[in-house]
Amino acid sequence: NDLFYIPLMCVMCVAIPFVLVTIAPRFISAAEVNLFFLLETIIGPIWVWLIIKEQPSVETIYGGILIIILLLLLLKKLSLYQ
C-alpha cells in the first residue's frame, strides 16, 4: 500500500510545487513568490496539527504569529504604493 502513496506524495508535495514556483515569477513579482515560501512555514505546522494531532511548540506558534504580522505589514505597505 505504501508503494502507491510514496510516489503520489512525491508528485503532490515536491514536483507540482516546484513547477508552480518556477512558473510563478512570470505572473507575479519575485517578492510575492517569496511570500508563499514564508506562508509554507506557517501552513505546514498547521496541517500537522490538524491532521496528525501533533501539538506545535510555543516557539512555533510565536514564530508563525510573527511571520503573519510581518506579512500583513508588508501587504499594507505595498497597497499604499499602488
Side-chain angles (χ1 to χ4, degrees):
N1 204 10
D2 288 345
L3 291 176
F4 172 74
Y5 287 114
I6 292 173
L8 179 66
M9 293 297 292
C10 287
V11 169
M12 296 298 292
C13 296
V14 177
I16 293 173
F18 279 130
V19 169
L20 293 175
V21 165
T22 304
I23 296 171
R26 296 179 190 168
F27 303 101
I28 59 176
S29 69
E32 291 171 323
V33 173
N34 195 23
L35 293 177
F36 283 104
F37 283 114
L38 288 174
L39 285 175
E40 180 186 10
T41 61
I42 298 169
I43 295 171
I46 290 174
W47 281 118
V48 172
W49 187 17
L50 292 174
I51 295 173
I52 303 177
K53 308 293 186 214
E54 181 180 321
Q55 181 69 31
S57 67
V58 174
E59 292 85 4
T60 302
I61 294 171
Y62 287 154
I65 291 170
L66 179 65
I67 291 172
I68 290 172
I69 290 171
L70 293 173
L71 284 174
L72 291 174
L73 290 173
L74 178 65
L75 290 173
K76 182 178 179 183
K77 180 180 176 182
L78 290 175
S79 68
L80 292 176
Y81 291 111
Q82 292 182 1

